């Protein structure tokens, strides 16, 4: 299997038709690691984060932390941070542009310095992704918030406890508020919060640091402290990488075991895979077995956790594009998260888009061709489609995928996939 083509950024070259079999270890969660890294800004003591995945987004977050004056050491999957000597409270445009999650520096910087200057994260290919809820929280917490020349300026006289209810459920909005309140003495109440496992992993870390946090339904009671300590914490497994690998195995009609996975974080994904005819068995809190094929059409509604995750929508669309019958996918979280459908149609998929609804009519076969990644999970869906397509598929702009998947091609190759990374043309 060789391709002589080359592109301006890495690409994957995939020969379809293999059945995936074997065992694979899931990496630590990107979306748990990021807010936990920013929690290190809340203390002058050493913070150790374990099982950190080697990803572009993690590198960008390290760049921001060092820009602020923090230091870190990495050995393997362990990152040790020290933010005892911060020099700046600014998250610059060039870093925020690379990674929207830089917005999570807002809460810790405001709590530490009583001021913060963070570049406004733009929209991306999945939607406008405003941060109005984040700013509404900080204003309610007593901060003066202004926006000038693409930056958000926040300033607060003193750290006061607050009661706040989010208008809508936002993962990083909840995380930003928790990061801030964990350093605010007194009793604060947050309502209508996100309950994603990544948010709960951050809560565990903030409690290790000395904050008192109780979560009941979608309400968090936070008793913060100005004297937060350091922590050692192993991040939870990446449930979206796990779900992606489960779909890959099921749609190729294979069977396999995933290690370092928490089945309790994958309820909705396991439910939908089972409904489609695949077999899933949880061995323990860290191991599960999956067997394909998936052959029944589905109706999927993406919802906030514990509902079906929006980050798994693109991967299921790839799987359902060759499942006989008509599937309906409703993307209720992001207003523009169907970019992958256009690329899947280039491979022969039969997909009709109407606003937030995608109707997927199963076709006999997808045909390999050159397709373009547009965002993190879209790129994963195109790789999965390549695994089952007739002939060879080239997925370009793999930097999108490298933001959130640690050496996915190695993991898939380990399960028998014919996949090669084509290094970028040295320009
Ligand atoms: C987090 O993004 C994740 N990123 C996303 O994962 C994930 O898709 C998303 O949550 C939903 O689960 C990280 O954790 C780093 P939201 P976030 O705020 O926090 C609207 C991936 O693939 N909204 O929960 O940015 C927003 O536009 C990434 O790893 C407002 O209107 O998502 C969206 O429609 C992609 N105002 C909805 O709420 C706000 O102030 C959910 O967004 C905030 C959000």
């Amino acid at each position: 299997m060789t391709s002589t083509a080359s592109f301006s950024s890495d690409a994957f070259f995939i020969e379809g038709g293999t059945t995936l079999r074997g065992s694979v270890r899931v990496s630590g969660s990107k979306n748990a690691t990021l807010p936990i890294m920013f929690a290190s800004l809340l203390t002058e003591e050493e913070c150790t984060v374990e099982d950190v995945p080697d990803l572009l987004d993690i590198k960008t977050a390290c760049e921001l932390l060092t820009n602020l004056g923090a230091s870190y050491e990495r050995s393997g999957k362990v990152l040790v941070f020290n933010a005892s000597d911060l020099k700046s409270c600014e998250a610059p445009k060039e870093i925020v542009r690379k990674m929207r999650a830089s917005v999570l520096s807002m809460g810790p910087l405001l709590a530490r310095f009583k001021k913060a200057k963070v570049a406004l994260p733009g929209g991306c290919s999945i939607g406008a992704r405003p941060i109005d809820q984040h700013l509404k929280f900080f204003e309610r917490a007593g901060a003066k918030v202004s926006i000038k020349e693409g930056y958000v300026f926040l300033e607060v006289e003193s750290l006061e406890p607050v009661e706040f209810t989010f208008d809508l459920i936002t993962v990083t909005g909840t995380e930003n508020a928790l990061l801030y309140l964990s350093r605010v003495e007194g009793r604060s109440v947050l309502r209508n919060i996100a309950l994603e496992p990544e948010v709960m992993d951050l809560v565990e870390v903030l409690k290790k640091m000395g904050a008192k946090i109780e979560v009941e339904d979608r309400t968090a009671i936070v008793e913060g402290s100005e004297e937060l300590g350091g922590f050692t914490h192993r991040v939870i497994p990446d449930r979206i990488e796990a779900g992606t690998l489960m779909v890959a195995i099921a749609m190729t009609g294979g069977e396999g075991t995933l290690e370092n996975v928490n089945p309790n974080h994958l309820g909705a994904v396991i439910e939908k895979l089972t409904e489609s005819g695949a077999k899933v068995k949880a061995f323990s809190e860290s191991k599960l077995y999956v067997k394909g094929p998936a052959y029944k059409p589905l109706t999927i509604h993406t919802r906030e956790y514990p509902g079906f995750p929006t980050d798994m929508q693109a991967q299921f669309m790839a799987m359902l594009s060759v499942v006989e019958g008509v599937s309906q996918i409703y993307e209720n979280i992001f207003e523009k998260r169907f970019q992958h459908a256009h690329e899947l149609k280039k491979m022969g998929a039969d997909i009709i888009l109407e606003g937030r609804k995608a109707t997927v009519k199963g076709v006999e076969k997808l045909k390999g061709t050159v397709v373009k990644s547009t965002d993190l999970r879209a790129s994963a869906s195109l790789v999965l489609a390549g695994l089952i397509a007739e002939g060879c598929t080239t997925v370009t702009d793999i930097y999108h995928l490298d933001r959130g998947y640690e050496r996915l091609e190695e993991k898939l190759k380990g399960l028998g996939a014919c996949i090669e990374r084509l290094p970028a043309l040295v320009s």
Side-chain angles (χ1 to χ4, degrees), residues 174-315:
T174 301
E175 290 166 344
N176 233 337
L178 288 169
L179 285 161
Y180 176 77
L181 292 176
S182 53
R183 230 175 111 105
V184 177
E185 306 269 352
R187 183 178 182 276
S188 294
V189 182
L190 280 179
R191 292 191 180 87
N192 203 23
I193 65 168
L195 297 173
E196 270 65 4
E198 296 76 29
V199 178
M200 295 306 126
D201 213 25
L202 173 65
V203 166
E204 285 316 301
V205 165
L206 296 173
K207 285 160 76 171
K208 284 181 181 177
M209 297 176 78
K212 291 190 180 62
I213 305 177
E214 276 161 51
V215 177
E216 174 93 21
D217 299 332
R218 285 195 184 273
T219 297
I221 314 272
V222 185
E223 308 223 2
S225 160
E226 294 237 352
E227 304 298 322
L228 291 175
F231 63 85
T232 295
H233 187 77
R234 179 191 187 76
V235 297
I236 54 171
D238 194 310
R239 63 190 168 101
I240 304 302
E241 181 188 86
T244 305
L245 292 165
M246 291 164 73
V247 169
I249 291 167
M251 65 196 278
T252 60
E255 62 177 316
T257 306
L258 274 65
E259 312 271 351
N260 191 46
V261 55
N262 187 337
N264 299 325
H265 296 162
L266 281 154
V269 171
I270 292 172
E271 181 56 43
K272 283 299 172 186
L273 271 177
T274 307
E275 189 184 333
S276 77
K279 301 276 175 292
V280 181
K281 188 171 171 357
F283 287 128
S284 66
E285 298 258 310
S286 65
K287 194 169 170 185
L288 70 73
Y289 165 83
V290 56
K291 181 176 178 356
Y295 56 90
K296 296 178 194 167
L298 298 172
T299 294
I300 290 174
H301 279 266
T302 63
R303 294 282 181 223
E304 297 87 358
Y305 191 87
F308 185 90
T310 173
D311 294 347
M312 284 299 304
Q313 178 256 110
Q315 299 90 315

Side-chain angles (χ1 to χ4, degrees), residues 10 68 93 96 231 409:
D10 281 11
L68 295 167
K93 281 182 185 155
V96 177
F231 63 85
E409 75 275 22

